[in-house]
């Protein structure tokens, strides 16, 4: 099982979606946690940039003001989300 926890300080930065997608595919990541996303909501379009094949289940905690925000993803076929 492989995971990534990253204080990314802004998930909407230029090139971040490509970087995350590459990391997920290159290292066969099973779970992903991004801190300091600075986003209140994640559109399906943005999620598809990270996960173009829909192999992850995504949950998030919205940012408050100009700080915070957490995005978590788990690979559906390897892990089970209980709550």
């Amino acid at each position: 099982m492989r995971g990534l926890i990253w204080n990314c300080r802004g998930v909407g930065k230029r090139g971040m979606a490509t970087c995350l997608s590459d990391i997920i595919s290159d290292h066969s990541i099973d779970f992903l946690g991004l801190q300091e996303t600075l986003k209140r909501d994640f559109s399906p379009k943005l999620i598809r940039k990270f996960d173009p094949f829909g192999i992850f289940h995504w949950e998030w905690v919205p940012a408050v003001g100009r700080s915070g925000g957490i995005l978590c993803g788990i690979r559906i076929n390897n892990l089970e989300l209980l709550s």
Side-chain angles (χ1 to χ4, degrees):
M1 181 182 310
R2 294 180 183 201
L4 172 69
I5 306 295
W6 184 8
N7 185 352
C8 66
R9 192 64 186 147
V11 78
K13 293 187 280 191
R14 185 178 182 156
M16 180 64 77
T18 305
C19 178
L20 283 173
S21 179
D22 290 348
I23 289 171
I24 289 169
S25 64
D26 292 349
H27 298 286
S28 300
I29 298 295
D30 293 313
F31 65 92
L32 174 70
L34 299 177
Q35 303 173 63
E36 295 291 330
T37 61
L38 306 179
K39 287 215 164 276
R40 291 189 179 145
D41 195 20
F42 289 86
S43 68
K45 182 179 178 180
L46 180 59
I47 294 293
R48 275 193 307 275
K49 287 182 181 180
F50 304 145
D51 182 18
F53 302 111
I55 59 174
F56 280 79
H57 173 81
W58 297 95
E59 293 288 334
W60 60 86
V61 175
V64 177
R66 294 186 45 86
S67 66
I70 299 172
L71 176 66
C72 298
I74 61 166
R75 189 177 294 261
I76 297 168
N77 61 355
N78 291 356
L79 300 170
E80 182 179 348
L81 181 65
L82 297 176
S83 64

Short mmCIF file of all heavy atoms in Angstrom, two decimals, residues 6-60:
data_model
loop_
_atom_site.label_atom_id
_atom_site.label_comp_id
_atom_site.label_asym_id
_atom_site.label_seq_id
_atom_site.Cartn_x
_atom_site.Cartn_y
_atom_site.Cartn_z
N TRP A 6 0.59 15.47 1.53
CA TRP A 6 1.35 16.60 1.00
C TRP A 6 0.71 17.91 1.41
O TRP A 6 -0.49 18.11 1.22
CB TRP A 6 1.38 16.48 -0.51
CG TRP A 6 2.19 17.49 -1.26
CD1 TRP A 6 3.04 18.42 -0.75
CD2 TRP A 6 2.23 17.65 -2.67
NE1 TRP A 6 3.60 19.15 -1.77
CE2 TRP A 6 3.12 18.68 -2.95
CE3 TRP A 6 1.60 17.01 -3.72
CZ2 TRP A 6 3.38 19.11 -4.24
CZ3 TRP A 6 1.87 17.43 -5.00
CH2 TRP A 6 2.75 18.47 -5.26
N ASN A 7 1.50 18.81 1.96
CA ASN A 7 1.05 20.18 2.24
C ASN A 7 1.31 20.98 0.98
O ASN A 7 2.38 21.55 0.79
CB ASN A 7 1.81 20.75 3.44
CG ASN A 7 1.30 22.11 3.84
OD1 ASN A 7 0.48 22.71 3.16
ND2 ASN A 7 1.79 22.60 4.97
N CYS A 8 0.35 20.98 0.08
CA CYS A 8 0.58 21.50 -1.27
C CYS A 8 0.46 23.02 -1.38
O CYS A 8 0.87 23.59 -2.36
CB CYS A 8 -0.38 20.84 -2.25
SG CYS A 8 -2.11 21.23 -1.97
N ARG A 9 -0.15 23.67 -0.40
CA ARG A 9 -0.32 25.13 -0.36
C ARG A 9 -0.92 25.68 -1.66
O ARG A 9 -0.36 26.53 -2.32
CB ARG A 9 1.01 25.80 -0.05
CG ARG A 9 0.91 27.24 0.30
CD ARG A 9 0.13 27.47 1.57
NE ARG A 9 -0.06 28.90 1.79
CZ ARG A 9 -1.11 29.42 2.36
NH1 ARG A 9 -2.08 28.65 2.78
NH2 ARG A 9 -1.21 30.70 2.51
N GLY A 10 -2.07 25.12 -2.02
CA GLY A 10 -2.80 25.61 -3.18
C GLY A 10 -2.87 24.59 -4.29
O GLY A 10 -1.94 24.46 -5.07
N VAL A 11 -3.98 23.88 -4.35
CA VAL A 11 -4.14 22.83 -5.34
C VAL A 11 -4.48 23.39 -6.73
O VAL A 11 -4.33 22.71 -7.72
CB VAL A 11 -5.18 21.80 -4.86
CG1 VAL A 11 -6.58 22.31 -5.05
CG2 VAL A 11 -4.99 20.48 -5.52
N GLY A 12 -4.87 24.63 -6.80
CA GLY A 12 -5.25 25.23 -8.07
C GLY A 12 -4.10 25.88 -8.83
O GLY A 12 -4.30 26.48 -9.88
N LYS A 13 -2.89 25.74 -8.31
CA LYS A 13 -1.73 26.34 -8.98
C LYS A 13 -1.49 25.71 -10.34
O LYS A 13 -1.81 24.54 -10.57
CB LYS A 13 -0.47 26.17 -8.13
CG LYS A 13 -0.49 26.94 -6.84
CD LYS A 13 0.84 26.87 -6.13
CE LYS A 13 0.96 25.58 -5.40
NZ LYS A 13 2.11 25.54 -4.49
N ARG A 14 -0.92 26.48 -11.21
CA ARG A 14 -0.62 26.01 -12.57
C ARG A 14 0.30 24.79 -12.52
O ARG A 14 1.33 24.79 -11.85
CB ARG A 14 0.06 27.14 -13.33
CG ARG A 14 0.31 26.81 -14.75
CD ARG A 14 0.95 27.98 -15.45
NE ARG A 14 1.12 27.64 -16.84
CZ ARG A 14 1.22 28.53 -17.79
NH1 ARG A 14 1.16 29.80 -17.51
NH2 ARG A 14 1.38 28.16 -19.03
N GLY A 15 -0.11 23.73 -13.21
CA GLY A 15 0.69 22.52 -13.29
C GLY A 15 0.46 21.53 -12.16
O GLY A 15 0.96 20.41 -12.22
N MET A 16 -0.29 21.92 -11.13
CA MET A 16 -0.50 21.04 -9.99
C MET A 16 -1.32 19.81 -10.38
O MET A 16 -1.01 18.70 -9.94
CB MET A 16 -1.20 21.79 -8.86
CG MET A 16 -1.45 20.95 -7.64
SD MET A 16 0.04 20.38 -6.81
CE MET A 16 0.50 21.85 -5.97
N ALA A 17 -2.35 19.96 -11.19
CA ALA A 17 -3.19 18.83 -11.59
C ALA A 17 -2.37 17.80 -12.36
O ALA A 17 -2.48 16.59 -12.11
CB ALA A 17 -4.38 19.31 -12.42
N THR A 18 -1.54 18.24 -13.26
CA THR A 18 -0.69 17.33 -14.03
C THR A 18 0.32 16.64 -13.12
O THR A 18 0.54 15.43 -13.23
CB THR A 18 0.06 18.11 -15.13
OG1 THR A 18 -0.89 18.79 -15.94
CG2 THR A 18 0.90 17.19 -15.98
N CYS A 19 0.88 17.38 -12.20
CA CYS A 19 1.85 16.82 -11.25
C CYS A 19 1.20 15.73 -10.41
O CYS A 19 1.76 14.64 -10.27
CB CYS A 19 2.39 17.93 -10.36
SG CYS A 19 3.54 17.37 -9.10
N LEU A 20 0.02 15.99 -9.87
CA LEU A 20 -0.68 15.00 -9.05
C LEU A 20 -1.05 13.77 -9.86
O LEU A 20 -0.88 12.64 -9.41
CB LEU A 20 -1.92 15.60 -8.42
CG LEU A 20 -1.67 16.51 -7.24
CD1 LEU A 20 -2.97 17.18 -6.81
CD2 LEU A 20 -1.07 15.74 -6.09
N SER A 21 -1.56 13.97 -11.05
CA SER A 21 -1.93 12.86 -11.91
C SER A 21 -0.71 11.98 -12.23
O SER A 21 -0.80 10.75 -12.19
CB SER A 21 -2.55 13.39 -13.20
OG SER A 21 -2.90 12.35 -14.05
N ASP A 22 0.40 12.62 -12.50
CA ASP A 22 1.64 11.87 -12.78
C ASP A 22 2.12 11.09 -11.56
O ASP A 22 2.53 9.93 -11.68
CB ASP A 22 2.75 12.82 -13.25
CG ASP A 22 2.50 13.39 -14.63
OD1 ASP A 22 1.61 12.88 -15.33
OD2 ASP A 22 3.20 14.36 -14.98
N ILE A 23 2.07 11.70 -10.38
CA ILE A 23 2.49 11.03 -9.16
C ILE A 23 1.61 9.82 -8.89
O ILE A 23 2.10 8.74 -8.56
CB ILE A 23 2.48 12.00 -7.96
CG1 ILE A 23 3.61 13.01 -8.08
CG2 ILE A 23 2.58 11.24 -6.63
CD1 ILE A 23 3.55 14.13 -7.06
N ILE A 24 0.29 9.99 -9.04
CA ILE A 24 -0.65 8.90 -8.79
C ILE A 24 -0.36 7.72 -9.72
O ILE A 24 -0.30 6.57 -9.28
CB ILE A 24 -2.10 9.38 -8.95
CG1 ILE A 24 -2.47 10.30 -7.78
CG2 ILE A 24 -3.07 8.21 -9.03
CD1 ILE A 24 -3.78 11.04 -7.98
N SER A 25 -0.16 8.00 -11.00
CA SER A 25 0.06 6.90 -11.94
C SER A 25 1.47 6.31 -11.86
O SER A 25 1.64 5.10 -11.90
CB SER A 25 -0.25 7.34 -13.37
OG SER A 25 0.64 8.36 -13.78
N ASP A 26 2.47 7.14 -11.69
CA ASP A 26 3.85 6.65 -11.66
C ASP A 26 4.17 5.80 -10.43
O ASP A 26 4.97 4.87 -10.49
CB ASP A 26 4.85 7.81 -11.71
CG ASP A 26 4.85 8.53 -13.04
OD1 ASP A 26 4.25 8.02 -14.00
OD2 ASP A 26 5.45 9.64 -13.11
N HIS A 27 3.54 6.13 -9.30
CA HIS A 27 3.87 5.45 -8.04
C HIS A 27 2.75 4.54 -7.54
O HIS A 27 2.83 4.03 -6.42
CB HIS A 27 4.23 6.49 -6.97
CG HIS A 27 5.43 7.30 -7.34
ND1 HIS A 27 6.71 6.79 -7.29
CD2 HIS A 27 5.55 8.56 -7.79
CE1 HIS A 27 7.56 7.73 -7.67
NE2 HIS A 27 6.88 8.81 -7.99
N SER A 28 1.72 4.34 -8.32
CA SER A 28 0.59 3.47 -7.95
C SER A 28 0.06 3.81 -6.55
O SER A 28 -0.06 2.96 -5.68
CB SER A 28 0.98 2.00 -8.00
OG SER A 28 1.39 1.65 -9.29
N ILE A 29 -0.25 5.08 -6.34
CA ILE A 29 -0.73 5.57 -5.06
C ILE A 29 -2.09 4.96 -4.73
O ILE A 29 -2.97 4.93 -5.58
CB ILE A 29 -0.82 7.12 -5.09
CG1 ILE A 29 0.54 7.76 -5.33
CG2 ILE A 29 -1.46 7.67 -3.82
CD1 ILE A 29 1.56 7.56 -4.26
N ASP A 30 -2.26 4.49 -3.49
CA ASP A 30 -3.52 3.93 -3.02
C ASP A 30 -4.36 4.95 -2.26
O ASP A 30 -5.58 4.86 -2.25
CB ASP A 30 -3.28 2.72 -2.12
CG ASP A 30 -2.69 1.55 -2.89
OD1 ASP A 30 -3.21 1.23 -3.97
OD2 ASP A 30 -1.71 0.97 -2.40
N PHE A 31 -3.71 5.88 -1.59
CA PHE A 31 -4.45 6.95 -0.92
C PHE A 31 -3.65 8.25 -0.99
O PHE A 31 -2.42 8.23 -1.09
CB PHE A 31 -4.78 6.59 0.54
CG PHE A 31 -3.59 6.44 1.44
CD1 PHE A 31 -3.10 7.50 2.16
CD2 PHE A 31 -2.97 5.20 1.58
CE1 PHE A 31 -2.01 7.35 3.00
CE2 PHE A 31 -1.89 5.03 2.42
CZ PHE A 31 -1.40 6.12 3.14
N LEU A 32 -4.37 9.35 -0.95
CA LEU A 32 -3.77 10.66 -1.16
C LEU A 32 -4.42 11.64 -0.20
O LEU A 32 -5.66 11.65 -0.07
CB LEU A 32 -4.01 11.09 -2.60
CG LEU A 32 -3.61 12.46 -3.04
CD1 LEU A 32 -2.09 12.56 -3.10
CD2 LEU A 32 -4.17 12.76 -4.41
N GLY A 33 -3.63 12.43 0.49
CA GLY A 33 -4.14 13.49 1.35
C GLY A 33 -3.41 14.78 1.04
O GLY A 33 -2.19 14.84 1.14
N LEU A 34 -4.16 15.79 0.66
CA LEU A 34 -3.57 17.09 0.35
C LEU A 34 -4.05 18.09 1.40
O LEU A 34 -5.25 18.25 1.61
CB LEU A 34 -3.98 17.57 -1.04
CG LEU A 34 -3.57 16.70 -2.20
CD1 LEU A 34 -4.11 17.27 -3.50
CD2 LEU A 34 -2.07 16.58 -2.27
N GLN A 35 -3.12 18.76 2.03
CA GLN A 35 -3.43 19.78 3.02
C GLN A 35 -3.23 21.15 2.41
O GLN A 35 -2.47 21.32 1.47
CB GLN A 35 -2.50 19.64 4.22
CG GLN A 35 -2.54 18.28 4.88
CD GLN A 35 -1.47 18.18 5.93
OE1 GLN A 35 -1.49 18.91 6.91
NE2 GLN A 35 -0.52 17.28 5.71
N GLU A 36 -3.89 22.15 3.00
CA GLU A 36 -3.78 23.54 2.55
C GLU A 36 -4.14 23.68 1.07
O GLU A 36 -3.40 24.29 0.29
CB GLU A 36 -2.37 24.08 2.81
CG GLU A 36 -2.00 24.19 4.25
CD GLU A 36 -2.76 25.25 5.01
OE1 GLU A 36 -3.15 26.28 4.41
OE2 GLU A 36 -2.99 25.06 6.22
N THR A 37 -5.27 23.12 0.69
CA THR A 37 -5.69 23.19 -0.71
C THR A 37 -6.16 24.58 -1.10
O THR A 37 -6.17 24.92 -2.28
CB THR A 37 -6.83 22.20 -0.98
OG1 THR A 37 -7.95 22.53 -0.16
CG2 THR A 37 -6.38 20.77 -0.75
N LEU A 38 -6.60 25.37 -0.12
CA LEU A 38 -7.10 26.73 -0.33
C LEU A 38 -8.37 26.75 -1.18
O LEU A 38 -8.68 27.77 -1.80
CB LEU A 38 -6.03 27.63 -0.94
CG LEU A 38 -4.69 27.69 -0.21
CD1 LEU A 38 -3.72 28.61 -0.95
CD2 LEU A 38 -4.86 28.13 1.23
N LYS A 39 -9.10 25.65 -1.25
CA LYS A 39 -10.34 25.57 -2.04
C LYS A 39 -11.51 25.25 -1.13
O LYS A 39 -11.41 24.45 -0.22
CB LYS A 39 -10.22 24.49 -3.10
CG LYS A 39 -9.33 24.84 -4.24
CD LYS A 39 -9.94 24.23 -5.46
CE LYS A 39 -9.40 24.78 -6.73
NZ LYS A 39 -10.01 25.98 -7.17
N ARG A 40 -12.65 25.88 -1.43
CA ARG A 40 -13.88 25.60 -0.69
C ARG A 40 -14.65 24.44 -1.28
O ARG A 40 -15.38 23.75 -0.59
CB ARG A 40 -14.77 26.84 -0.67
CG ARG A 40 -14.19 27.94 0.15
CD ARG A 40 -15.16 29.06 0.35
NE ARG A 40 -14.53 30.07 1.17
CZ ARG A 40 -14.73 31.35 1.04
NH1 ARG A 40 -15.57 31.80 0.14
NH2 ARG A 40 -14.11 32.19 1.83
N ASP A 41 -14.49 24.22 -2.58
CA ASP A 41 -15.22 23.16 -3.26
C ASP A 41 -14.38 22.64 -4.42
O ASP A 41 -13.54 23.37 -4.95
CB ASP A 41 -16.56 23.69 -3.77
CG ASP A 41 -17.52 22.60 -4.16
OD1 ASP A 41 -17.34 21.45 -3.71
OD2 ASP A 41 -18.46 22.88 -4.92
N PHE A 42 -14.61 21.40 -4.79
CA PHE A 42 -13.89 20.79 -5.90
C PHE A 42 -14.91 20.37 -6.96
O PHE A 42 -15.75 19.52 -6.70
CB PHE A 42 -13.08 19.57 -5.43
CG PHE A 42 -11.90 19.94 -4.60
CD1 PHE A 42 -12.02 20.13 -3.24
CD2 PHE A 42 -10.67 20.14 -5.19
CE1 PHE A 42 -10.94 20.49 -2.47
CE2 PHE A 42 -9.57 20.51 -4.44
CZ PHE A 42 -9.72 20.69 -3.06
N SER A 43 -14.80 20.95 -8.11
CA SER A 43 -15.72 20.62 -9.21
C SER A 43 -15.34 19.27 -9.80
O SER A 43 -14.19 18.84 -9.72
CB SER A 43 -15.64 21.69 -10.30
OG SER A 43 -14.38 21.64 -10.94
N PRO A 44 -16.31 18.59 -10.41
CA PRO A 44 -15.99 17.32 -11.08
C PRO A 44 -14.91 17.50 -12.16
O PRO A 44 -14.09 16.61 -12.36
CB PRO A 44 -17.33 16.91 -11.69
CG PRO A 44 -18.35 17.55 -10.82
CD PRO A 44 -17.74 18.85 -10.40
N LYS A 45 -14.90 18.65 -12.80
CA LYS A 45 -13.90 18.93 -13.84
C LYS A 45 -12.48 18.93 -13.24
O LYS A 45 -11.56 18.35 -13.81
CB LYS A 45 -14.20 20.26 -14.49
CG LYS A 45 -13.25 20.63 -15.60
CD LYS A 45 -13.63 21.96 -16.22
CE LYS A 45 -12.65 22.35 -17.30
NZ LYS A 45 -12.99 23.63 -17.91
N LEU A 46 -12.32 19.56 -12.08
CA LEU A 46 -11.01 19.60 -11.43
C LEU A 46 -10.60 18.21 -10.94
O LEU A 46 -9.45 17.80 -11.13
CB LEU A 46 -11.02 20.58 -10.26
CG LEU A 46 -9.70 20.73 -9.50
CD1 LEU A 46 -8.57 21.17 -10.41
CD2 LEU A 46 -9.86 21.69 -8.34
N ILE A 47 -11.53 17.47 -10.37
CA ILE A 47 -11.24 16.12 -9.91
C ILE A 47 -10.81 15.22 -11.07
O ILE A 47 -9.90 14.41 -10.94
CB ILE A 47 -12.45 15.52 -9.16
CG1 ILE A 47 -12.75 16.28 -7.88
CG2 ILE A 47 -12.26 14.04 -8.89
CD1 ILE A 47 -11.71 16.15 -6.80
N ARG A 48 -11.45 15.38 -12.23
CA ARG A 48 -11.08 14.58 -13.41
C ARG A 48 -9.65 14.87 -13.87
O ARG A 48 -9.00 14.02 -14.46
CB ARG A 48 -12.06 14.81 -14.56
CG ARG A 48 -13.28 13.94 -14.50
CD ARG A 48 -14.07 13.98 -15.79
NE ARG A 48 -14.41 15.32 -16.24
CZ ARG A 48 -15.49 16.00 -15.84
NH1 ARG A 48 -16.31 15.46 -14.96
NH2 ARG A 48 -15.73 17.20 -16.30
N LYS A 49 -9.15 16.07 -13.60
CA LYS A 49 -7.76 16.38 -13.95
C LYS A 49 -6.79 15.55 -13.12
O LYS A 49 -5.75 15.13 -13.61
CB LYS A 49 -7.48 17.87 -13.75
CG LYS A 49 -8.13 18.75 -14.78
CD LYS A 49 -7.77 20.19 -14.54
CE LYS A 49 -8.42 21.10 -15.56
NZ LYS A 49 -8.07 22.51 -15.31
N PHE A 50 -7.12 15.32 -11.84
CA PHE A 50 -6.27 14.49 -10.98
C PHE A 50 -6.47 13.02 -11.28
O PHE A 50 -5.54 12.22 -11.23
CB PHE A 50 -6.61 14.65 -9.49
CG PHE A 50 -6.58 16.04 -8.95
CD1 PHE A 50 -7.48 16.43 -7.98
CD2 PHE A 50 -5.65 16.95 -9.39
CE1 PHE A 50 -7.45 17.70 -7.45
CE2 PHE A 50 -5.62 18.23 -8.87
CZ PHE A 50 -6.52 18.61 -7.90
N ASP A 51 -7.73 12.65 -11.51
CA ASP A 51 -8.15 11.25 -11.58
C ASP A 51 -8.98 11.03 -12.85
O ASP A 51 -10.20 10.86 -12.78
CB ASP A 51 -8.98 10.95 -10.31
CG ASP A 51 -9.44 9.53 -10.21
OD1 ASP A 51 -8.88 8.66 -10.89
OD2 ASP A 51 -10.37 9.28 -9.40
N PRO A 52 -8.35 11.03 -14.01
CA PRO A 52 -9.11 10.97 -15.28
C PRO A 52 -9.90 9.68 -15.48
O PRO A 52 -10.87 9.67 -16.22
CB PRO A 52 -8.04 11.13 -16.35
CG PRO A 52 -6.76 10.77 -15.70
CD PRO A 52 -6.91 11.09 -14.24
N PHE A 53 -9.52 8.59 -14.81
CA PHE A 53 -10.21 7.32 -15.01
C PHE A 53 -11.19 7.00 -13.89
O PHE A 53 -11.80 5.93 -13.88
CB PHE A 53 -9.20 6.18 -15.17
CG PHE A 53 -8.26 6.42 -16.31
CD1 PHE A 53 -6.92 6.70 -16.07
CD2 PHE A 53 -8.71 6.40 -17.62
CE1 PHE A 53 -6.05 6.94 -17.13
CE2 PHE A 53 -7.85 6.63 -18.68
CZ PHE A 53 -6.52 6.91 -18.44
N GLY A 54 -11.35 7.89 -12.93
CA GLY A 54 -12.31 7.71 -11.86
C GLY A 54 -12.02 6.53 -10.95
O GLY A 54 -12.94 5.85 -10.51
N ILE A 55 -10.76 6.28 -10.64
CA ILE A 55 -10.40 5.13 -9.81
C ILE A 55 -10.35 5.47 -8.32
O ILE A 55 -10.14 4.58 -7.50
CB ILE A 55 -9.07 4.51 -10.27
CG1 ILE A 55 -7.94 5.52 -10.19
CG2 ILE A 55 -9.18 3.93 -11.66
CD1 ILE A 55 -6.57 4.94 -10.48
N PHE A 56 -10.56 6.73 -7.96
CA PHE A 56 -10.52 7.17 -6.57
C PHE A 56 -11.88 7.67 -6.12
O PHE A 56 -12.68 8.15 -6.92
CB PHE A 56 -9.51 8.32 -6.40
CG PHE A 56 -8.09 7.88 -6.32
CD1 PHE A 56 -7.39 7.55 -7.47
CD2 PHE A 56 -7.43 7.80 -5.11
CE1 PHE A 56 -6.06 7.15 -7.41
CE2 PHE A 56 -6.12 7.40 -5.04
CZ PHE A 56 -5.44 7.07 -6.18
N HIS A 57 -12.11 7.55 -4.81
CA HIS A 57 -13.24 8.21 -4.17
C HIS A 57 -12.67 9.42 -3.46
O HIS A 57 -11.69 9.31 -2.71
CB HIS A 57 -13.91 7.27 -3.15
CG HIS A 57 -14.98 7.96 -2.36
ND1 HIS A 57 -16.24 8.15 -2.87
CD2 HIS A 57 -14.95 8.54 -1.14
CE1 HIS A 57 -16.96 8.80 -1.98
NE2 HIS A 57 -16.19 9.05 -0.92
N TRP A 58 -13.27 10.60 -3.68
CA TRP A 58 -12.74 11.85 -3.16
C TRP A 58 -13.67 12.45 -2.12
O TRP A 58 -14.87 12.47 -2.30
CB TRP A 58 -12.53 12.85 -4.29
CG TRP A 58 -11.54 12.38 -5.29
CD1 TRP A 58 -11.79 11.74 -6.47
CD2 TRP A 58 -10.13 12.50 -5.21
NE1 TRP A 58 -10.62 11.45 -7.12
CE2 TRP A 58 -9.59 11.91 -6.37
CE3 TRP A 58 -9.27 13.04 -4.27
CZ2 TRP A 58 -8.22 11.85 -6.59
CZ3 TRP A 58 -7.90 12.98 -4.50
CH2 TRP A 58 -7.39 12.39 -5.65
N GLU A 59 -13.09 12.95 -1.05
CA GLU A 59 -13.79 13.70 0.00
C GLU A 59 -12.92 14.90 0.35
O GLU A 59 -11.69 14.86 0.20
CB GLU A 59 -14.00 12.84 1.26
CG GLU A 59 -14.94 11.68 1.06
CD GLU A 59 -16.40 12.10 0.93
OE1 GLU A 59 -16.78 13.17 1.45
OE2 GLU A 59 -17.15 11.34 0.29
N TRP A 60 -13.55 15.98 0.85
CA TRP A 60 -12.76 17.15 1.22
C TRP A 60 -13.40 17.91 2.36
O TRP A 60 -14.59 17.78 2.64
CB TRP A 60 -12.55 18.09 0.04
CG TRP A 60 -13.80 18.62 -0.58
CD1 TRP A 60 -14.52 19.72 -0.21
CD2 TRP A 60 -14.50 18.05 -1.69
NE1 TRP A 60 -15.60 19.87 -1.02
CE2 TRP A 60 -15.62 18.86 -1.94
CE3 TRP A 60 -14.27 16.95 -2.49
CZ2 TRP A 60 -16.52 18.59 -2.96
CZ3 TRP A 60 -15.17 16.68 -3.50
CH2 TRP A 60 -16.26 17.49 -3.73
#
